[in-house]
Amino acid sequence: MNPQAFYRAPYPVYAEARRTRGLTFLPELGAYLVSRREDVREVLSKPEQFSSAGALRPDYLPSRAALTELIKGFGGVQAVLTADGDAHRRLRRPLTRGLSPARVAAALPFVTERAEALIGSFAGDGQVEWMDGYARPLPAAVIGHLVGLDPADTPGAIRGAQRAEELLFTELTEAEQVDVAKEIVDVQCLLDGYARARRKDPRDDLLTELVRDLAPGSGDLTLDQRKEIVSNVQNLLLAGHLTTTALLGTVVLNLLRDRRQWELLCEQPRLVPAAIEEAARFEAPIQGFRRTVTTGVTLSGTELHEDDVVFVSFASAGRDADATARPDEFDITRPAFRHLSFGYGPHGCPGSQLAKEQVRISLEILLRELPGLRLAHTDITMAPTLIHHSPEALFLTW
Ligand code: HEM
Protein backbone atom coordinates (compact mmCIF):
# COMPACT_ATOMS: atom_id res chain seq x y z
CA MET A 1 0.00 0.00 0.00
CA ASN A 2 1.11 3.56 -0.70
CA PRO A 3 2.30 4.88 2.72
CA GLN A 4 0.50 8.22 2.18
CA ALA A 5 -2.82 6.41 1.68
CA PHE A 6 -2.19 4.37 4.82
CA TYR A 7 -1.26 7.50 6.82
CA ARG A 8 -4.49 9.26 5.78
CA ALA A 9 -6.75 6.28 6.54
CA PRO A 10 -5.04 3.82 8.88
CA TYR A 11 -8.07 2.47 10.76
CA PRO A 12 -8.97 -0.42 8.39
CA VAL A 13 -5.37 -1.65 8.64
CA TYR A 14 -5.52 -1.61 12.44
CA ALA A 15 -8.86 -3.45 12.43
CA GLU A 16 -7.43 -6.20 10.23
CA ALA A 17 -4.37 -6.48 12.49
CA ARG A 18 -6.53 -6.79 15.61
CA ARG A 19 -8.47 -9.62 13.94
CA THR A 20 -5.28 -11.43 12.89
CA ARG A 21 -3.53 -13.78 15.27
CA GLY A 22 -0.06 -12.60 16.40
CA LEU A 23 1.52 -9.32 15.29
CA THR A 24 1.22 -8.09 11.69
CA PHE A 25 4.42 -6.85 10.02
CA LEU A 26 3.73 -3.61 8.09
CA PRO A 27 6.31 -2.93 5.35
CA GLU A 28 5.00 0.69 5.14
CA LEU A 29 6.35 1.22 8.66
CA GLY A 30 9.19 -1.31 8.63
CA ALA A 31 7.74 -2.52 11.92
CA TYR A 32 5.40 -5.00 13.60
CA LEU A 33 2.09 -3.30 14.34
CA VAL A 34 1.01 -3.60 17.98
CA SER A 35 -2.74 -3.13 17.63
CA ARG A 36 -4.57 -4.67 20.61
CA ARG A 37 -5.06 -2.54 23.72
CA GLU A 38 -3.56 -5.07 26.13
CA ASP A 39 -0.46 -5.51 23.94
CA VAL A 40 -0.04 -1.73 23.62
CA ARG A 41 -0.19 -1.41 27.41
CA GLU A 42 2.29 -4.21 27.85
CA VAL A 43 4.86 -2.66 25.52
CA LEU A 44 4.49 0.79 27.06
CA SER A 45 4.89 -0.54 30.58
CA LYS A 46 8.13 -2.45 29.81
CA PRO A 47 10.62 0.19 28.65
CA GLU A 48 13.56 -2.06 29.51
CA GLN A 49 12.39 -4.55 26.84
CA PHE A 50 11.06 -1.94 24.39
CA SER A 51 13.41 1.04 24.02
CA SER A 52 12.25 4.49 22.92
CA ALA A 53 15.58 5.24 21.22
CA GLY A 54 14.08 4.97 17.72
CA ALA A 55 10.62 6.34 18.63
CA LEU A 56 10.85 9.08 16.03
CA ARG A 57 12.82 7.32 13.32
CA PRO A 58 12.92 9.74 10.37
CA ASP A 59 11.36 8.79 7.03
CA TYR A 60 14.04 10.79 5.18
CA LEU A 61 17.68 11.39 6.13
CA PRO A 62 18.97 14.94 5.51
CA SER A 63 21.38 15.30 2.59
CA ARG A 64 25.07 16.04 3.18
CA ALA A 65 24.48 19.71 2.21
CA ALA A 66 21.66 20.01 4.74
CA LEU A 67 23.81 18.35 7.42
CA THR A 68 26.57 20.89 6.72
CA GLU A 69 24.07 23.61 7.66
CA LEU A 70 22.65 21.73 10.63
CA ILE A 71 26.01 21.30 12.36
CA LYS A 72 26.19 25.09 12.64
CA GLY A 73 23.23 24.94 15.04
CA PHE A 74 22.37 23.63 18.48
CA GLY A 75 20.34 20.52 17.75
CA GLY A 76 20.99 16.83 17.33
CA VAL A 77 21.02 16.02 21.04
CA GLN A 78 18.76 13.44 22.65
CA ALA A 79 15.32 14.71 23.65
CA VAL A 80 13.02 13.24 26.30
CA LEU A 81 10.85 11.27 23.88
CA THR A 82 13.73 9.13 22.63
CA ALA A 83 15.57 8.66 25.94
CA ASP A 84 15.46 5.58 28.18
CA GLY A 85 16.09 4.85 31.87
CA ASP A 86 17.99 7.41 33.98
CA ALA A 87 18.63 9.71 31.00
CA HIS A 88 14.88 9.80 30.40
CA ARG A 89 14.04 10.48 34.04
CA ARG A 90 16.51 13.38 34.10
CA LEU A 91 15.09 15.00 30.94
CA ARG A 92 11.50 14.48 32.06
CA ARG A 93 11.83 16.04 35.53
CA PRO A 94 11.73 19.73 34.47
CA LEU A 95 8.77 19.02 32.18
CA THR A 96 6.75 17.45 34.97
CA ARG A 97 7.38 20.57 37.05
CA GLY A 98 6.90 23.00 34.17
CA LEU A 99 3.57 21.42 33.18
CA SER A 100 2.30 20.79 36.73
CA PRO A 101 -1.43 21.29 37.51
CA ALA A 102 -0.53 24.62 39.19
CA ARG A 103 1.36 25.83 36.09
CA VAL A 104 -1.50 24.78 33.83
CA ALA A 105 -4.03 26.52 36.10
CA ALA A 106 -1.94 29.69 35.99
CA ALA A 107 -2.00 29.61 32.16
CA LEU A 108 -5.80 29.33 31.87
CA PRO A 109 -6.56 33.08 31.84
CA PHE A 110 -4.12 33.42 28.92
CA VAL A 111 -5.73 30.45 27.10
CA THR A 112 -9.22 31.92 27.60
CA GLU A 113 -8.18 35.37 26.46
CA ARG A 114 -6.53 33.99 23.26
CA ALA A 115 -9.42 31.61 22.56
CA GLU A 116 -12.02 34.37 22.94
CA ALA A 117 -9.99 36.76 20.78
CA LEU A 118 -9.56 34.18 17.99
CA ILE A 119 -13.22 33.14 17.94
CA GLY A 120 -14.25 36.80 18.23
CA SER A 121 -12.16 37.59 15.14
CA PHE A 122 -14.35 35.42 12.88
CA ALA A 123 -17.63 35.08 14.80
CA GLY A 124 -19.26 37.81 12.70
CA ASP A 125 -18.25 36.21 9.38
CA GLY A 126 -20.62 33.24 9.44
CA GLN A 127 -17.82 30.92 8.30
CA VAL A 128 -14.24 29.92 9.06
CA GLU A 129 -11.58 27.46 7.99
CA TRP A 130 -11.15 26.08 11.51
CA MET A 131 -7.64 24.62 11.23
CA ASP A 132 -5.88 27.84 10.11
CA GLY A 133 -8.35 30.16 11.80
CA TYR A 134 -8.18 28.56 15.24
CA ALA A 135 -6.79 25.04 15.72
CA ARG A 136 -3.23 25.96 14.66
CA PRO A 137 -2.85 29.43 16.22
CA LEU A 138 -4.29 28.71 19.68
CA PRO A 139 -1.93 25.90 20.82
CA ALA A 140 1.03 27.72 19.22
CA ALA A 141 0.37 30.84 21.31
CA VAL A 142 -0.20 28.75 24.44
CA ILE A 143 2.98 26.66 24.23
CA GLY A 144 4.99 29.80 23.42
CA HIS A 145 3.51 31.45 26.52
CA LEU A 146 4.30 28.49 28.78
CA VAL A 147 7.84 28.12 27.49
CA GLY A 148 8.31 31.83 28.13
CA LEU A 149 8.82 33.19 24.61
CA ASP A 150 8.06 36.76 23.64
CA PRO A 151 4.76 36.60 21.67
CA ALA A 152 6.56 38.22 18.74
CA ASP A 153 9.06 35.32 18.64
CA THR A 154 6.51 32.51 19.03
CA PRO A 155 5.35 32.10 15.39
CA GLY A 156 8.94 31.91 14.11
CA ALA A 157 10.00 29.47 16.86
CA ILE A 158 7.00 27.24 16.19
CA ARG A 159 7.65 27.34 12.46
CA GLY A 160 11.28 26.36 13.07
CA ALA A 161 10.19 23.35 15.11
CA GLN A 162 7.77 22.34 12.35
CA ARG A 163 10.49 22.74 9.75
CA ALA A 164 12.59 20.24 11.74
CA GLU A 165 9.73 17.75 11.42
CA GLU A 166 9.33 18.55 7.73
CA LEU A 167 13.01 17.86 7.12
CA LEU A 168 12.74 14.38 8.59
CA PHE A 169 9.26 13.34 7.50
CA THR A 170 8.60 14.86 4.05
CA GLU A 171 10.27 14.43 0.70
CA LEU A 172 12.18 17.63 -0.17
CA THR A 173 14.65 18.55 -2.89
CA GLU A 174 18.23 19.15 -1.80
CA ALA A 175 17.81 22.93 -2.20
CA GLU A 176 14.64 22.85 -0.08
CA GLN A 177 16.43 20.78 2.55
CA VAL A 178 19.22 23.35 2.76
CA ASP A 179 16.70 26.21 3.15
CA VAL A 180 14.85 24.29 5.85
CA ALA A 181 18.12 23.48 7.64
CA LYS A 182 19.09 27.18 7.66
CA GLU A 183 15.73 28.12 9.12
CA ILE A 184 16.06 25.43 11.81
CA VAL A 185 19.51 26.75 12.76
CA ASP A 186 18.21 30.36 12.95
CA VAL A 187 15.52 29.28 15.39
CA GLN A 188 18.01 27.22 17.41
CA CYS A 189 20.16 30.37 17.75
CA LEU A 190 17.11 32.30 18.93
CA LEU A 191 16.27 29.64 21.52
CA ASP A 192 19.91 29.49 22.62
CA GLY A 193 19.74 33.25 23.27
CA TYR A 194 16.69 32.63 25.46
CA ALA A 195 18.44 29.84 27.38
CA ARG A 196 21.45 32.04 28.15
CA ALA A 197 19.19 34.94 29.14
CA ARG A 198 17.27 32.70 31.58
CA ARG A 199 20.55 31.57 33.12
CA LYS A 200 21.31 35.18 34.05
CA ASP A 201 17.75 36.21 34.78
CA PRO A 202 15.52 33.26 35.82
CA ARG A 203 11.77 33.64 35.38
CA ASP A 204 8.65 31.68 36.21
CA ASP A 205 8.50 29.68 32.95
CA LEU A 206 9.31 26.31 31.40
CA LEU A 207 12.54 27.50 29.86
CA THR A 208 13.85 28.46 33.28
CA GLU A 209 12.86 25.00 34.60
CA LEU A 210 14.81 23.35 31.79
CA VAL A 211 17.89 25.53 32.32
CA ARG A 212 17.81 25.06 36.10
CA ASP A 213 17.35 21.30 35.95
CA LEU A 214 19.48 20.29 32.96
CA ALA A 215 22.37 22.63 33.83
CA PRO A 216 22.64 22.92 37.61
CA GLY A 217 24.94 25.69 38.85
CA SER A 218 25.27 29.32 37.96
CA GLY A 219 28.23 29.69 35.58
CA ASP A 220 27.98 30.16 31.83
CA LEU A 221 26.20 27.28 30.07
CA THR A 222 28.55 24.89 28.28
CA LEU A 223 28.05 24.15 24.60
CA ASP A 224 26.69 20.68 25.43
CA GLN A 225 24.23 22.14 27.92
CA ARG A 226 23.07 24.73 25.40
CA LYS A 227 22.52 22.01 22.79
CA GLU A 228 20.57 19.86 25.22
CA ILE A 229 18.33 22.72 26.32
CA VAL A 230 17.68 23.90 22.75
CA SER A 231 16.92 20.36 21.48
CA ASN A 232 14.43 19.80 24.29
CA VAL A 233 12.72 23.18 23.87
CA GLN A 234 12.37 22.54 20.13
CA ASN A 235 10.91 19.13 20.87
CA LEU A 236 8.49 20.64 23.34
CA LEU A 237 7.33 23.29 20.88
CA LEU A 238 6.38 20.49 18.50
CA ALA A 239 4.93 18.10 21.08
CA GLY A 240 2.81 20.85 22.59
CA HIS A 241 1.47 22.28 19.37
CA LEU A 242 0.33 20.09 16.48
CA THR A 243 -1.02 17.32 18.72
CA THR A 244 -3.42 19.78 20.33
CA THR A 245 -4.20 21.26 16.90
CA ALA A 246 -5.17 17.76 15.75
CA LEU A 247 -7.49 17.19 18.70
CA LEU A 248 -9.12 20.62 18.23
CA GLY A 249 -9.77 19.56 14.64
CA THR A 250 -11.10 16.08 15.23
CA VAL A 251 -13.27 16.97 18.24
CA VAL A 252 -15.16 19.57 16.18
CA LEU A 253 -15.26 17.34 13.10
CA ASN A 254 -16.73 14.36 14.94
CA LEU A 255 -19.21 16.39 16.99
CA LEU A 256 -20.55 17.95 13.79
CA ARG A 257 -20.33 14.92 11.49
CA ASP A 258 -23.22 13.37 13.44
CA ARG A 259 -24.81 16.65 14.47
CA ARG A 260 -26.94 14.92 17.15
CA GLN A 261 -23.72 14.72 19.18
CA TRP A 262 -23.25 18.50 18.92
CA GLU A 263 -26.92 19.13 19.81
CA LEU A 264 -26.59 16.83 22.82
CA LEU A 265 -23.53 18.79 23.95
CA CYS A 266 -25.44 22.08 23.54
CA GLU A 267 -28.20 20.66 25.77
CA GLN A 268 -25.76 19.15 28.29
CA PRO A 269 -22.49 21.14 28.40
CA ARG A 270 -21.40 19.05 31.40
CA LEU A 271 -20.56 16.40 28.76
CA VAL A 272 -17.63 18.51 27.46
CA PRO A 273 -14.93 16.50 29.32
CA ALA A 274 -16.49 13.25 28.03
CA ALA A 275 -16.53 14.67 24.48
CA ILE A 276 -12.82 15.45 24.74
CA GLU A 277 -11.96 11.93 25.94
CA GLU A 278 -14.14 10.40 23.23
CA ALA A 279 -12.49 12.51 20.50
CA ALA A 280 -9.01 11.53 21.75
CA ARG A 281 -10.05 7.85 21.81
CA PHE A 282 -11.85 7.86 18.48
CA GLU A 283 -9.06 9.49 16.44
CA ALA A 284 -5.84 9.55 18.45
CA PRO A 285 -3.83 12.65 17.43
CA ILE A 286 -0.59 10.69 17.75
CA GLN A 287 -1.49 7.43 16.05
CA GLY A 288 1.54 5.63 17.39
CA PHE A 289 5.28 5.63 17.95
CA ARG A 290 7.99 3.06 17.44
CA ARG A 291 9.83 1.03 20.05
CA THR A 292 12.94 -1.09 19.49
CA VAL A 293 13.13 -4.55 21.04
CA THR A 294 16.14 -4.83 23.37
CA THR A 295 15.99 -8.58 24.06
CA GLY A 296 14.16 -11.64 22.68
CA VAL A 297 10.51 -11.53 23.82
CA THR A 298 7.18 -13.04 22.77
CA LEU A 299 4.28 -10.64 22.27
CA SER A 300 0.81 -11.81 21.34
CA GLY A 301 2.33 -15.14 20.27
CA THR A 302 4.88 -13.52 17.91
CA GLU A 303 8.55 -14.02 18.71
CA LEU A 304 10.48 -10.77 18.57
CA HIS A 305 14.27 -10.48 18.48
CA GLU A 306 16.74 -7.83 19.59
CA ASP A 307 16.60 -4.77 17.25
CA ASP A 308 13.18 -5.68 15.84
CA VAL A 309 10.98 -2.60 15.62
CA VAL A 310 7.35 -2.41 16.72
CA PHE A 311 4.88 0.39 16.01
CA VAL A 312 2.73 0.84 19.12
CA SER A 313 -0.64 2.12 17.98
CA PHE A 314 -2.35 4.23 20.65
CA ALA A 315 -5.05 4.81 18.00
CA SER A 316 -5.77 1.14 17.40
CA ALA A 317 -5.91 0.49 21.16
CA GLY A 318 -8.79 2.99 21.33
CA ARG A 319 -10.81 0.96 18.83
CA ASP A 320 -10.35 -2.41 20.53
CA ALA A 321 -13.79 -4.04 21.00
CA ASP A 322 -12.44 -6.01 23.98
CA ALA A 323 -12.10 -2.70 25.85
CA THR A 324 -15.24 -0.81 24.84
CA ALA A 325 -18.50 -1.59 23.04
CA ARG A 326 -19.21 -0.27 19.49
CA PRO A 327 -15.65 1.15 19.23
CA ASP A 328 -16.15 2.50 15.69
CA GLU A 329 -18.97 4.82 16.81
CA PHE A 330 -18.27 8.31 18.11
CA ASP A 331 -20.44 8.59 21.22
CA ILE A 332 -19.93 11.25 23.87
CA THR A 333 -22.11 9.29 26.32
CA ARG A 334 -19.77 6.27 26.17
CA PRO A 335 -19.06 4.90 29.68
CA ALA A 336 -15.62 6.15 30.77
CA PHE A 337 -12.69 3.86 30.11
CA ARG A 338 -8.94 4.51 30.06
CA HIS A 339 -7.96 4.99 26.42
CA LEU A 340 -4.24 5.19 25.67
CA SER A 341 -4.20 8.19 23.32
CA PHE A 342 -2.04 10.18 25.75
CA GLY A 343 0.29 7.21 26.15
CA TYR A 344 0.90 5.06 29.20
CA GLY A 345 3.84 4.28 31.47
CA PRO A 346 7.02 6.35 31.89
CA HIS A 347 6.66 8.28 28.59
CA GLY A 348 2.94 9.04 29.13
CA CYS A 349 2.13 12.59 28.05
CA PRO A 350 3.13 15.26 30.60
CA GLY A 351 1.12 17.87 28.64
CA SER A 352 -2.24 16.07 28.55
CA GLN A 353 -3.87 18.39 31.10
CA LEU A 354 -2.78 21.46 29.19
CA ALA A 355 -4.13 20.02 25.94
CA LYS A 356 -7.47 19.02 27.46
CA GLU A 357 -7.93 22.43 29.09
CA GLN A 358 -7.40 24.14 25.74
CA VAL A 359 -10.02 21.94 24.12
CA ARG A 360 -12.43 22.39 27.06
CA ILE A 361 -12.18 26.18 26.93
CA SER A 362 -12.58 26.14 23.13
CA LEU A 363 -15.71 23.97 23.21
CA GLU A 364 -17.28 26.02 25.99
CA ILE A 365 -16.84 29.23 23.98
CA LEU A 366 -18.20 27.59 20.80
CA LEU A 367 -21.26 26.25 22.64
CA ARG A 368 -21.92 29.70 24.05
CA GLU A 369 -21.11 31.85 21.00
CA LEU A 370 -21.79 29.64 17.96
CA PRO A 371 -24.38 26.97 18.83
CA GLY A 372 -25.54 26.93 15.19
CA LEU A 373 -22.15 25.53 14.09
CA ARG A 374 -22.16 22.98 11.24
CA LEU A 375 -19.79 21.50 8.66
CA ALA A 376 -19.71 23.46 5.39
CA HIS A 377 -18.36 20.38 3.51
CA THR A 378 -18.48 16.75 4.50
CA ASP A 379 -15.67 15.47 2.24
CA ILE A 380 -12.80 15.92 4.67
CA THR A 381 -9.21 14.97 3.80
CA MET A 382 -7.01 13.88 6.67
CA ALA A 383 -3.35 14.95 6.69
CA PRO A 384 -0.93 12.23 5.51
CA THR A 385 0.83 11.76 8.83
CA LEU A 386 0.63 9.43 11.84
CA ILE A 387 2.14 12.01 14.19
CA HIS A 388 -0.79 14.44 14.26
CA HIS A 389 -3.85 12.85 12.72
CA SER A 390 -6.08 15.76 11.76
CA PRO A 391 -8.16 17.25 8.97
CA GLU A 392 -6.05 19.21 6.48
CA ALA A 393 -8.80 21.83 6.41
CA LEU A 394 -12.20 22.05 8.12
CA PHE A 395 -14.72 24.57 6.77
CA LEU A 396 -17.43 25.50 9.26
CA THR A 397 -20.51 27.72 8.99
CA TRP A 398 -23.18 28.92 11.41
C1 HEM B 1 -4.03 16.33 22.27
C2 HEM B 1 -2.81 16.61 22.58
C3 HEM B 1 -1.74 15.61 22.91
C4 HEM B 1 -1.67 14.26 22.67
C5 HEM B 1 -2.71 13.38 22.02
C6 HEM B 1 -0.41 13.80 23.18
C7 HEM B 1 0.01 12.47 23.13
C8 HEM B 1 1.20 12.02 23.65
C9 HEM B 1 1.60 10.64 23.69
C10 HEM B 1 0.79 9.47 23.13
C11 HEM B 1 2.83 10.58 24.26
C12 HEM B 1 3.62 9.32 24.56
C13 HEM B 1 4.75 9.06 23.61
C14 HEM B 1 5.44 7.73 23.83
O1 HEM B 1 5.01 6.88 24.61
O2 HEM B 1 6.47 7.53 23.15
C15 HEM B 1 3.21 11.93 24.57
C16 HEM B 1 4.41 12.30 25.12
C17 HEM B 1 4.79 13.61 25.31
N1 HEM B 1 3.98 14.74 25.21
FE1 HEM B 1 2.09 14.78 24.59
N2 HEM B 1 0.28 14.86 23.70
C18 HEM B 1 -0.50 15.98 23.56
C19 HEM B 1 -0.21 17.26 24.01
C20 HEM B 1 0.97 17.63 24.59
C21 HEM B 1 1.27 18.94 25.07
C22 HEM B 1 0.31 20.12 25.06
C23 HEM B 1 2.57 18.91 25.50
C24 HEM B 1 3.42 19.99 26.08
C25 HEM B 1 3.04 21.14 26.43
C26 HEM B 1 3.06 17.56 25.30
C27 HEM B 1 4.32 17.14 25.59
C28 HEM B 1 4.75 15.83 25.51
C29 HEM B 1 6.10 15.41 25.83
C30 HEM B 1 7.26 16.31 26.21
C31 HEM B 1 6.13 14.02 25.68
C32 HEM B 1 7.32 13.09 25.89
C33 HEM B 1 7.28 12.56 27.30
C34 HEM B 1 8.32 11.49 27.58
O3 HEM B 1 8.94 10.97 26.64
O4 HEM B 1 8.51 11.20 28.76
N3 HEM B 1 2.05 16.81 24.76
N4 HEM B 1 2.19 12.79 24.21
Side-chain angles (χ1 to χ4, degrees):
M1 191 198 312
N2 167 359
Q4 303 279 312
F6 166 60
Y7 291 174
R8 286 186 204 272
Y11 282 96
V13 177
Y14 302 150
E16 179 64 30
R18 285 195 305 275
R19 279 193 297 269
T20 308
R21 206 204 292 241
L23 301 179
T24 302
F25 186 82
L26 283 189
E28 295 83 358
L29 297 175
Y32 289 94
L33 176 64
V34 182
S35 60
R36 296 179 198 90
R37 184 173 183 279
E38 276 320 300
D39 294 338
V40 169
R41 241 165 68 110
E42 184 171 342
V43 171
L44 296 176
S45 58
K46 292 187 174 160
E48 54 304 324
Q49 284 177 0
F50 297 95
S51 160
S52 282
L56 274 180
R57 196 195 67 185
D59 289 347
Y60 300 93
L61 290 176
S63 64
R64 188 184 289 266
L67 286 172
T68 306
E69 292 303 325
L70 287 174
I71 53 170
K72 298 176 189 162
F74 291 90
V77 174
Q78 188 174 53
V80 62
L81 192 73
T82 54
D84 291 317
D86 287 344
H88 171 251
R89 279 185 282 279
R90 176 175 161 272
L91 292 171
R92 182 157 168 124
R93 219 171 30 213
L95 298 177
T96 312
R97 264 206 296 275
L99 293 163
S100 68
R103 284 286 172 98
V104 172
L108 295 189
F110 177 85
V111 178
T112 306
E113 182 270 313
R114 285 311 311 145
E116 283 178 341
L118 281 166
I119 292 178
S121 72
F122 54 72
D125 300 346
Q127 58 177 7
V128 70
E129 194 290 286
W130 176 248
M131 301 310 292
D132 273 347
Y134 188 88
R136 292 189 180 102
L138 180 76
V142 171
I143 190 65
H145 173 78
L146 249 109
V147 166
L149 302 182
D150 186 319
D153 286 335
T154 297
I158 293 278
R159 192 175 136 86
Q162 281 171 9
R163 298 292 263 170
E165 183 181 306
E166 230 176 284
L167 184 64
L168 301 178
F169 293 98
T170 45
E171 196 169 2
L172 302 173
T173 63
E174 178 154 319
E176 286 168 336
Q177 283 199 4
V178 170
D179 284 349
V180 170
K182 284 183 180 159
E183 203 175 327
I184 293 169
V185 169
D186 285 347
V187 171
Q188 287 173 345
C189 292
L190 174 81
L191 296 176
D192 177 54
Y194 269 96
R196 284 182 295 142
R198 290 301 187 273
R199 176 60 137 206
K200 291 201 177 72
D201 177 18
R203 293 200 193 164
D204 188 16
D205 58 28
L206 236 166
L207 238 157
T208 303
E209 291 289 357
L210 281 163
V211 172
R212 201 177 272 152
D213 220 307
L214 299 185
S218 55
D220 285 349
L221 297 171
T222 66
L223 186 59
D224 284 348
Q225 287 171 333
R226 289 161 63 190
K227 285 185 173 179
E228 187 170 57
I229 293 163
V230 169
S231 287
N232 278 279
V233 173
Q234 261 197 321
N235 191 262
L236 190 64
L237 289 173
L238 259 183
H241 176 214
L242 288 180
T243 46
T244 312
T245 297
L247 187 56
L248 282 165
T250 52
V251 75
V252 170
L253 170 63
N254 287 304
L255 283 167
L256 296 178
R257 190 141 47 186
D258 172 3
R259 211 163 175 287
R260 285 170 306 177
Q261 298 281 316
W262 175 253
E263 284 158 10
L264 181 61
L265 199 59
C266 290
E267 283 160 26
Q268 300 184 41
R270 65 178 173 77
L271 288 175
V272 162
I276 297 169
E277 295 302 333
E278 178 65 350
R281 175 199 75 83
F282 189 69
E283 293 198 270
I286 297 183
Q287 293 274 300
F289 276 140
R290 290 181 174 80
R291 294 290 194 267
T292 307
V293 176
T294 60
T295 171
V297 59
T298 302
L299 184 68
S300 214
T302 298
E303 257 184 59
L304 297 170
H305 305 99
E306 189 178 343
D307 292 335
D308 279 348
V309 177
V310 294
F311 182 83
V312 190
S313 177
F314 314 114
S316 178
R319 297 284 188 105
D320 190 333
D322 287 348
T324 189
R326 302 171 290 103
D328 294 325
E329 277 176 40
F330 180 81
D331 176 5
I332 63 174
T333 65
R334 177 178 301 281
F337 92 107
R338 170 81 157 85
H339 62 72
L340 304 177
S341 299
F342 287 98
Y344 181 81
H347 287 272
C349 181
S352 62
Q353 207 47 40
L354 179 65
K356 289 180 197 179
E357 288 290 24
Q358 291 182 67
V359 183
R360 174 184 67 76
I361 288 168
S362 307
L363 287 179
E364 285 174 358
I365 300 172
L366 288 179
L367 291 172
R368 193 180 71 218
E369 303 293 329
L370 304 175
L373 207 61
R374 54 183 193 280
L375 294 180
H377 309 290
T378 47
D379 52 335
I380 308 295
T381 305
M382 301 303 278
T385 169
L386 298 178
I387 303 178
H388 25 81
H389 182 73
S390 58
E392 281 187 335
L394 190 59
F395 291 92
L396 307 178
T397 63
W398 51 91

